[in-house]
Amino acid sequence: MTSTPLPSMLLAQLPSALRKLDPRHLWRSPVMFVVWVGSVATTLVALTDPSVFAWFITVWLWLTVVFGNLAEAVAEGRGKAQADSLRAARSDVTARRLAADGTESVVPGTALVVGDRVVVEAGEVVPGDGDVVEGVASVDESAITGESAPVIREAGGDRSAVTGGTRVLSDRIVVQVTAAPGETFLDRMIALVEGAERRRTPNEVALSILLVSLTIVFLVAVVTLSPMADYAGAPQEPLVLVALLVCLIPTTIGALLSAIGIAGMDRLVRVNVLAMSGRAVEAAGDVSTLLLDKTGTITYGNRRASELLTAPGVPDDELRDLARLTSLADQTPEGRSIVDLAIQLGADDTDLPSGATFVEFTAQTRMSGLDLADGRSLRKGAGAAVETWTGASLPAAVQVQVEEVSGAGGTPLVVAESGADGTRVLGVVHLKDVVKEGMAERFDQLRAMGIRTVMVTGDNPRTAAAIGREAGVDEVLAEATPEDKLALIRREQEGGRLVAMTGDGTNDAPALAAADVGVAMNSGTSAAKEAGNMVDLDSDPTKLIDVVAIGKQLLITRGALTTFSIANDVAKYFAILPAMFLAAYPALDSLNVMRLATPESAIASAVVFNALVIVALIPIALRGVKYRPLSAEALLRRNVLVYGLGGLVVPFVGIKLIDVLVSMIPGIG
Amino acid sequence: MNDTLSGLLTIAAVAAVLALAWKPLGDHMARVVTGTTHARPERALYRLVGVDPEAQQSARAYAISVLAFSGVGIVVLVAVLMGQQHLPFSRDLPGMPWDMAVNTAVSFVTNTNWQSYAGEATLGFTAQMAGLAVQNFLSAAVGICVAVALVRGFLASRSGMIGNFWVDLVRVTGRILLPVAVVGVVLLLTQGVVQSFADQTIQTVTGGSQVVPGGPVASQEAIKQLGTNGGGFFNANSAHPFENPTPFSNVVQIVLMLLVPVALTRTFGTMIGSRRQGLTILGAMAALFTASLAVATWAETTAQGAAARAAGAAMEGKETSFGTWGSILFSTATTSTSTGAVNASHDSLTPTGGGAALVNMMLGEVSPGGVGSGLYGMLVMAVVTVFVAGLMVGRTPELLGKKIGRPEITRVALYTLSVPAIVLLGVGVAIALPSSADAMGNSGVHGFSEVVYAFTSAGNNNGSAFGGITVTSTFFQLSLAAAMLLGRFVTIALVLSLAGALARQRPVPTTAGTLPTHTVLFGSLLVGVVLLVTGLTYLPSLALGPIAEALTNGVMS
């Protein structure tokens, strides 16, 4: 869709823009409604007293309204295309409903009610939103997420939610329906991307109020100008007064306001995040505290071996090689990371020695290892477990190493050997949570934007603090229970801060609901998705940072175009005022700094510019103003320069250029 | 010493005195309005009128108190003016006609002090002292109270309470205006400002003697300027030698006008705990003032027009002892502060100089504006500025820790809309009426400027006039009274309502993502917004008035 060039996009939406000329629709945007009334008035003037000038102005006033509608229609059109592809997934399905006695009956998907249980088997489409209550299945959710890799859905736990419209690829599950037909996730998604449920956000309403008041001021200024002009001996045609009014009222931002809002939601959809309301997107821009789960967001999901600490008297190579041996058959990520580290440190990449048997980790021994053919045994595990195995306390030096590793937030794995000549502790493998690359920089950026990050983890405070320090977060919530999370959110909000978080489990639901921006993972439970005000279809918690950026970009776009729109008025005054009163006060010609050809062409050029600037700005409204994570002062300086000063200067150039063309029209020039 | 040097030294002296007074006076005012103890006479007064000085008022209660107090003030003043023949020291003058009395009462209660009468020929001493001078104090105090209430709105956390009007009124009058006015009176008396209960008999140059109206002038003169009132004891106002006898008294008067509005920016900064924030507001005010002063001084001293060129400067309507510089500094100060006192005829200023005076008022009296009204006017403009600029940093707008949402912007939008609407509708109607042509002192462009000036002055509660216009017709008396009344109290009601909306909010903490509002960048934006809002609203009327006149006279071409 992004590849569609603008002109053809505009052309495609022209019919729907014309349909929006209905005053009942325009009434929602008072600024554009005033233009509509003005257009009707000038049409009447042009009909009763036709002239090239009158018709020219009339046509361009109508075009102003059409261009405004076009902006909205194009923004909506992009959502509609997405909605259509979603609708395809909602093709009429039948459901195999389970009765209480276990018998199946085939009913249409639309006949399901909340609480029904349905059976879905490989190859069938899930008939509605629900939770898996029985079985495990792999599910293709590409219809919703666009992600082709299947996901596992199973009864119980945090991966039980299935979405209507997705396809079961293997196995058989029983799903308990949690949403009535028409209110499913898919239905809501369609409504959202189509903009059908769009309500104006609080800031949009506030901005509209300012725009309406400006419109009223200009209305008063233009209406009272009429008697003033009469007094000056330069009575003004209603046509000219309407043209002046339309040029002065903030038509640019008035026309683009709803397109900006729709496009903001759309940008979220493009990163696969669905916002349940525009209000949530706006709140994202205001967020000042981010709650981030440690695992999967700040660190990779698994701990990795980062260093080997050799016990006194043991050669480094020996610990390296033996640690590798103990892990060779260990398929856990931790085990594999030990092998990787050993090879990095120069170990030979050889296979298991023949006759060796792998000893798996059990909850009883809390160790894993290897029994070699020569009678030696190798074990690695927690310090206490190894002590039990060897029957002796760890050597003091190793004990110190163990404590150092724990102190740094890591997990110490002690490697020991027992053979004919007794047992021996070889050293310690330092397993640590590895902070994802670039996280520290991102947190720095967030800090520059005034956003505090809080890392939430179930780890003990010491471990948590160490990882927090490494990642560069501002605060750490250790040993966090869902209640702690909720309390933290409440505390932040009490201090006037807006909080954003991600969550997927049912026990996250209260915190998700309390947060100002709660992004639920699509892989999570329906309770979590219900509680949040956004859903991330990719289930990528790091995306919270992008969500904040999109929220900010939306607000910046709104502010920048408002500034641009108002600043434009200066040039329009310089075009129109001298034109109006040149006859009465010839000296006013020195205000005609653009040296526009004739009074008629000056007024016409201002009107044309006013209409064309809407079209010219549609791409910015849709794409959003370029956003960089900078401090507020730097952002302001940049945007004031571009959109404030630009807004002052651009129309002088634009109106002059248009005047060169327009003045060639007989009857105007 | 040449005119330019003495003019620049005068400006430097005024700036120096203001700079010296800024901190002590500003902090004193902050202490007065935030203090928790009551003086003994204050307690007695509260008991007498039945006010609980510890009670806090909501915005609604505060506004009702302000409106009721001012309403009673108007009624009492109308009665005094219409019935002055029954009062002592009435100099045998009859009561005012009703329309003039209404206009005058509204004018003084709204801190406008537009005068459609000649003071010495119309009013007795009691009406001047017990009627007008009292309102000079009280209307000024009301303005300061409202500004302070707005600042409290930013400070309050979810309480919705913005202080107690009666306590504020008593303290501002008793602890700020009275003491400073006394100092002003003493300074003016040393310069020969009259203070008596009789007319003066003077020796004329030719040796004859002449009775000149006198009266208790000095006591009224100080608060006239200090409270940015501007209503003169005499018709000639501060051009009258009994009101403003010397160049030094001229400087004293200018300082008095600017003193409180300027120092209130410090009060604001001290109250909110950010002195730089106060300085930023002051900087924006000073920039507007300086620009206007420079343009007007340039226009008057470079003497446009044939007669003025012959005289070396545009001296028509100016007092020679003040000179061009002293007159323009005064006219800029008086129109920038909503005072409206004059020491020269604004009608006779060059089109550019008169236009500058007009624009000062059109800015909404924010450079630095009237006592209190200047601060709250500028803060309202700051809200408009953060609303647009705040979005450009990617957050919903906030000012001083308070979100500018729908309730706040609604009130601010109505505020910025109300005065221009009042002024423009007034001008539109007046200019459309055939009878207005007779009232104008001039025909053509300048006559139009007179009408624009009259409604701008009334709507913005300034009170100065392009004196050529005759405004004694019932239409002008009442329409201008309406403009003054609405221009004052609609805005005050909106400001207090805004204060309430802010006070109901929980403060938002400041972060690196918050738009800083205490910087040069923000100050410049604020100036830009004030100019843009004013320019866009009034450019057509300015183009048909002073701009057309100036360009036709050959300036700038």
Side-chain angles (χ1 to χ4, degrees):
Chain A
M1 268 173 295
T2 31
S3 58
T4 320
L6 186 69
S8 57
M9 216 154 64
L10 293 177
L11 213 58
Q13 295 299 336
L14 197 57
S16 102
L18 291 174
R19 269 197 303 278
K20 285 171 186 270
L21 281 177
D22 185 340
R24 282 168 303 180
H25 173 82
L26 282 165
W27 178 243
R28 291 176 48 195
S29 165
V31 179
M32 295 316 283
F33 183 75
V34 170
V35 183
W36 183 87
V37 172
S39 308
V40 171
T42 53
T43 308
L44 294 177
V45 170
L47 283 173
T48 50
D49 186 13
S51 70
V52 175
F53 180 61
W55 277 113
F56 188 87
I57 295 291
T58 305
V59 167
W60 278 96
L61 289 189
W62 279 114
L63 282 177
T64 310
V65 187
V66 172
F67 291 161
N69 291 343
L70 208 50
E72 195 181 72
V74 168
E76 285 173 354
R78 304 211 299 183
K80 283 215 177 71
Q82 245 154 350
D84 289 341
S85 72
L86 286 173
R87 265 202 200 90
R90 205 184 49 176
S91 54
D92 298 322
V93 288
T94 53
R96 291 159 60 189
R97 186 162 62 190
L98 273 183
D101 56 4
T103 54
E104 270 182 37
S105 57
V106 175
V107 297
T110 48
L112 293 174
V113 294
V114 175
D116 278 354
R117 290 173 168 231
V118 294
V119 177
V120 193
E121 279 186 300
E124 292 176 344
V125 171
V126 179
D129 291 2
D131 286 322
V132 180
V133 289
E134 212 181 296
V136 183
S138 60
V139 180
D140 171 14
E141 294 192 336
S142 60
I144 289 176
T145 62
E147 175 64 53
S148 54
V151 293
I152 302 294
R153 292 286 177 250
E154 59 191 335
D158 287 347
R159 295 183 171 273
S160 62
V162 286
T163 312
T166 57
R167 186 176 294 275
V168 172
L169 295 178
S170 69
D171 306 291
R172 171 186 187 274
I173 46 174
V174 176
V175 174
Q176 181 154 18
V177 175
T178 55
E183 291 166 20
T184 65
F185 187 62
L186 200 58
D187 292 314
R188 271 194 296 166
M189 252 178 93
I190 293 171
L192 278 169
V193 295
E194 271 189 334
E197 278 184 13
R198 213 181 94 78
R199 261 187 246 129
R200 292 196 300 169
T201 61
N203 175 259
E204 230 177 316
V205 172
L207 182 55
S208 302
I209 289 169
L210 188 70
L211 297 181
V212 167
S213 81
L214 276 175
T215 306
I216 297 173
V217 169
F218 288 128
L219 194 63
V220 172
V222 170
V223 167
T224 55
L225 185 56
S226 180
M228 295 182 199
D230 290 347
Y231 171 84
Q236 294 298 317
E237 305 279 341
L239 186 75
V240 172
L241 290 174
V242 170
L244 175 64
L245 176 64
V246 170
C247 285
L248 291 181
I249 61 176
T251 47
T252 315
I253 183 64
L256 296 173
L257 191 55
S258 64
I260 294 169
I262 297 169
M265 302 269 281
D266 190 52
R267 275 198 297 283
L268 269 184
V269 173
R270 272 154 207 269
V271 297
N272 265 347
V273 174
L274 284 182
M276 298 302 163
S277 70
R279 185 190 280 260
V281 188
E282 218 168 81
D286 272 349
V287 160
S288 44
T289 306
L290 278 189
L291 258 55
L292 296 173
D293 278 327
K294 182 200 79 178
T295 309
T297 310
I298 294 173
T299 63
Y300 293 104
N302 308 300
R303 287 169 302 185
R304 303 170 65 89
S306 67
E307 63 177 326
L308 300 176
L309 304 165
T310 319
V314 178
D316 286 353
D317 288 359
E318 191 179 359
L319 172 63
R320 181 194 70 195
D321 293 336
L322 293 184
R324 189 182 78 91
L325 276 185
T326 57
S327 309
L328 264 183
D330 180 356
Q331 283 311 308
T332 62
E334 286 85 358
R336 279 201 304 270
S337 79
I338 294 174
V339 175
D340 290 346
L341 179 69
I343 289 174
Q344 248 178 46
L345 293 174
D348 295 328
D349 192 2
T350 52
D351 274 343
L352 265 185
S354 57
T357 47
F358 178 59
V359 180
E360 270 199 65
F361 178 89
T362 67
Q364 282 77 40
T365 61
R366 298 185 8 249
M367 291 187 302
S368 65
L370 210 60
D371 288 339
L372 297 172
D374 59 7
R376 280 192 299 156
S377 300
L378 300 170
R379 292 290 184 275
K380 66 175 199 289
V386 172
E387 280 180 345
T388 316
W389 184 62
T390 58
S393 309
L394 294 177
V398 174
Q399 189 64 46
V400 169
Q401 288 168 332
V402 165
E403 273 162 22
E404 271 173 12
V405 170
S406 306
T411 307
L413 276 187
V414 178
V415 182
E417 177 196 45
S418 106
D421 31 334
T423 57
R424 183 160 78 106
V425 175
L426 298 165
V428 179
V429 180
H430 182 172
L431 286 182
K432 66 188 268 191
D433 263 327
V434 181
V435 174
K436 288 183 179 173
E437 265 168 52
M439 287 317 277
E441 289 78 27
R442 289 199 91 165
F443 293 145
D444 280 344
Q445 283 180 356
L446 287 171
R447 237 187 314 280
M449 288 152 61
I451 298 173
R452 261 160 36 87
T453 42
V454 180
M455 184 183 87
V456 180
T457 171
D459 291 347
N460 65 60
R462 221 159 63 151
T463 310
I467 297 168
R469 246 192 325 276
E470 191 184 337
V473 296
D474 297 289
E475 197 186 319
V476 169
L477 185 67
E479 286 171 353
T481 61
E483 291 74 33
D484 292 341
K485 261 192 191 180
L486 190 58
L488 177 73
I489 293 175
R490 291 268 152 77
R491 198 167 61 239
E492 291 288 315
Q493 289 173 333
E494 202 57 39
R497 294 168 164 274
L498 264 61
V499 184
M501 68 169 285
T502 59
D504 54 4
T506 299
N507 55 15
D508 282 333
L512 277 173
D516 301 281
V517 176
V519 183
M521 301 293 106
N522 190 44
S523 59
T525 60
S526 11
K529 277 150 84 173
E530 202 61 48
N533 49 16
M534 290 190 194
V535 174
D536 179 11
L537 300 176
D538 297 339
S539 306
D540 169 13
T542 323
K543 222 186 273 168
L544 196 52
I545 299 172
D546 301 322
V547 170
V548 169
I550 289 174
K552 287 196 176 293
Q553 194 188 25
L554 169 75
L555 293 172
I556 293 176
T557 308
R558 209 179 270 159
L561 294 186
T562 304
T563 308
F564 189 85
S565 182
I566 297 171
N568 272 344
D569 278 4
V570 175
K572 293 176 198 162
Y573 259 137
F574 273 97
I576 297 182
L577 276 183
M580 287 171 85
F581 298 111
L582 199 58
Y585 303 117
L588 284 181
D589 190 44
S590 51
L591 289 186
N592 180 8
V593 289
M594 286 170 271
R595 310 313 311 160
L596 304 178
T598 63
E600 286 79 15
S601 85
I603 294 166
S605 303
V607 171
V608 171
F609 175 84
N610 192 49
L612 288 182
V613 80
I614 296 174
V615 182
L617 291 177
I618 288 178
I620 293 187
L622 296 185
R623 203 177 52 230
V625 165
K626 191 182 277 178
Y627 170 70
R628 293 206 195 99
L630 297 170
S631 74
E633 175 88 1
L635 268 178
L636 181 64
R637 193 180 303 278
R638 193 189 125 81
N639 288 324
V640 165
L641 216 62
V642 175
Y643 295 94
L645 276 187
L648 281 177
V649 175
V650 166
F652 278 100
V653 179
I655 292 174
K656 176 66 191 172
L657 290 177
I658 294 168
D659 176 72
V660 171
L661 297 176
V662 167
S663 59
M664 292 180 209
I665 301 173
I668 292 179
Chain B
M1 197 157 59
N2 69 32
D3 286 352
T4 309
L5 184 60
S6 75
L8 288 173
L9 285 177
T10 310
I11 293 170
V14 169
V17 174
L18 290 174
L20 283 176
W22 187 67
K23 186 177 165 200
L25 179 60
D27 287 348
H28 169 68
M29 290 195 286
R31 276 194 302 275
V32 166
V33 295
T34 53
T36 49
T37 53
H38 308 283
R40 198 182 293 267
E42 288 173 351
R43 270 184 209 290
L45 190 58
Y46 299 141
R47 254 198 307 278
L48 190 71
V49 292
V51 166
D52 173 10
E54 306 303 333
Q56 288 279 307
Q57 286 180 313
S58 67
R60 178 185 293 267
Y62 203 103
I64 290 174
S65 303
V66 169
L67 295 179
F69 178 73
S70 303
V72 169
I74 292 175
V75 171
V76 169
L77 194 49
V78 167
V80 167
L81 295 173
M82 288 179 72
Q84 68 155 330
Q85 67 273 31
H86 307 299
L87 299 171
F89 302 110
S90 70
R91 299 166 67 217
D92 301 326
L93 290 164
M96 264 193 187
W98 72 273
D99 53 352
M100 184 183 277
V102 167
N103 181 289
T104 306
V106 166
S107 168
F108 276 74
V109 172
T110 57
N111 197 250
T112 312
N113 305 45
W114 172 268
Q115 292 168 295
S116 60
Y117 60 91
E120 63 272 40
T122 317
L123 291 175
F125 298 152
T126 310
Q128 294 265 26
M129 288 182 75
L132 302 186
V134 166
Q135 278 305 331
N136 278 354
F137 277 98
L138 296 181
S139 67
V142 165
I144 298 176
C145 293
V146 172
V148 166
L150 177 59
V151 177
R152 289 198 192 109
F154 282 106
L155 289 170
S157 175
R158 308 191 72 186
S159 68
M161 296 297 168
I162 55 170
N164 183 320
F165 171 68
W166 307 107
V167 173
D168 289 342
L169 181 71
V170 167
R171 288 189 186 176
V172 167
T173 311
R175 300 197 209 171
I176 298 171
L177 294 177
L178 262 177
V180 183
V182 167
V183 176
V185 170
V186 172
L187 282 174
L188 291 173
L189 283 173
T190 64
Q191 296 303 303
V193 176
V194 172
Q195 181 74 10
S196 67
F197 278 91
D199 295 337
Q200 311 279 311
T201 306
I202 56 161
Q203 298 292 315
T204 63
V205 186
T206 52
S209 69
Q210 186 186 347
V211 176
V212 179
V217 180
S219 58
Q220 196 162 328
E221 196 65 13
I223 189 62
K224 167 186 120 180
Q225 308 292 21
L226 178 67
T228 63
N229 292 288
F233 195 94
F234 301 108
N235 192 33
N237 209 310
S238 285
H240 193 293
F242 286 176
E243 282 201 25
N244 189 10
T246 66
F248 180 75
S249 70
N250 196 45
V251 170
V252 170
Q253 297 209 347
I254 292 169
V255 168
L256 283 175
M257 280 190 251
L258 294 164
L259 194 58
V260 173
V262 165
L264 271 174
T265 59
R266 168 80 183 190
T267 311
F268 162 65
T270 302
M271 281 178 76
I272 62 159
S274 163
R275 303 259 154 84
R276 276 188 67 192
Q277 187 68 65
L279 265 179
T280 305
I281 298 285
L282 177 62
M285 291 172 165
L288 290 165
F289 184 91
T290 309
S292 171
L293 179 65
V295 168
T297 306
W298 167 77
E300 300 301 313
T301 52
T302 52
Q304 301 126 15
R309 274 195 198 102
M315 284 310 293
E316 179 194 314
K318 293 191 181 69
E319 166 62 59
T320 47
S321 68
F322 304 142
T324 308
W325 287 78
S327 302
I328 292 307
L329 181 56
F330 195 107
S331 75
T332 305
T334 197
T335 48
S336 297
T337 56
S338 113
T339 307
V342 289
N343 77 348
S345 165
H346 287 192
D347 201 26
S348 303
L349 295 175
T350 62
T352 311
L358 191 53
V359 170
N360 289 339
M361 297 187 289
M362 287 174 169
L363 293 177
E365 301 283 16
V366 291
S367 60
V371 285
S373 62
L375 180 61
Y376 65 67
M378 204 50 142
L379 288 177
V380 166
M381 292 316 289
V383 171
V384 176
T385 309
V386 290
F387 188 77
V388 177
L391 283 177
M392 281 197 288
V393 303
R395 303 209 357 167
T396 58
E398 62 200 55
L399 178 62
L400 304 175
K402 293 298 175 81
K403 283 280 174 200
I404 308 303
R406 181 183 178 163
E408 293 77 22
I409 202 68
T410 307
R411 289 155 175 88
V412 165
L414 286 172
Y415 181 103
T416 47
L417 167 75
S418 59
V419 175
I422 293 163
V423 171
L424 289 174
L425 288 174
V427 174
V429 171
I431 210 76
L433 288 178
S435 59
S436 299
D438 303 332
M440 295 177 201
N442 295 272
S443 58
V445 191
H446 198 72
F448 176 75
S449 297
E450 287 173 354
V451 175
V452 173
Y453 197 104
F455 279 95
T456 305
S457 175
N460 287 288
N461 300 130
N462 184 273
S464 66
F466 266 9
I469 193 168
T470 308
V471 286
T472 46
S473 72
T474 303
F475 167 75
F476 274 113
Q477 295 283 30
L478 295 187
S479 63
L480 290 171
M484 291 187 275
L485 206 54
L486 296 172
R488 175 77 167 178
F489 292 112
V490 169
T491 50
I492 280 185
L494 288 167
V495 167
L496 289 174
S497 181
L498 172 66
L502 294 169
R504 283 189 289 275
Q505 281 188 42
R506 190 207 309 271
V508 183
T510 305
T511 70
T514 311
L515 171 74
T517 52
H518 55 263
T519 59
V520 175
L521 177 62
F522 185 80
S524 320
L525 270 180
L526 180 56
V527 169
V529 167
V530 170
L531 287 176
L532 201 63
V533 168
T534 310
L536 295 181
T537 316
Y538 291 111
L539 207 56
S541 8
L542 287 171
L544 291 177
I547 294 178
E549 203 179 341
L551 292 176
T552 309
N553 283 5
V555 188
M556 301 194 283
S557 60

